[in-house]
Amino acid sequence: MTARECVILKEVLQGKDNQNIASSLQVVLGTVKAHVHNILKKTGTTTRQELTQLFWKG
């Protein structure tokens, strides 16, 4: 996972939506969507809910 994806992952795990993430990181919404898509792909999850469960398990 890239450094930027890690930053966005932390924001997702805090429950922020794409628009709030984009605003706080000062990037366009499409960039956040692309990163979230890549994160889901790399972790083998399909939803934010699955992603959150994966990282909060242990």
Side-chain angles (χ1 to χ4, degrees):
M1 208 173 296
T2 67
R4 189 54 136 179
E5 288 170 349
C6 289
V7 169
I8 290 176
L9 173 59
K10 288 177 188 174
E11 301 277 322
V12 169
L13 294 177
Q14 290 174 2
K16 294 184 180 178
D17 63 18
N18 288 351
Q19 185 61 57
N20 286 332
I21 296 169
S23 295
S24 69
L25 299 178
Q26 298 180 335
V27 297
V28 295
L29 182 59
T31 300
V32 174
K33 287 181 180 181
H35 283 306
V36 171
H37 174 77
N38 291 337
I39 291 166
L40 292 174
K41 225 168 126 177
K42 288 179 180 181
T43 58
T45 56
T46 56
T47 65
R48 286 172 178 255
Q49 202 169 16
E50 280 182 34
L51 183 63
T52 301
Q53 289 173 348
L54 176 69
F55 280 88
W56 287 112
K57 270 186 191 175

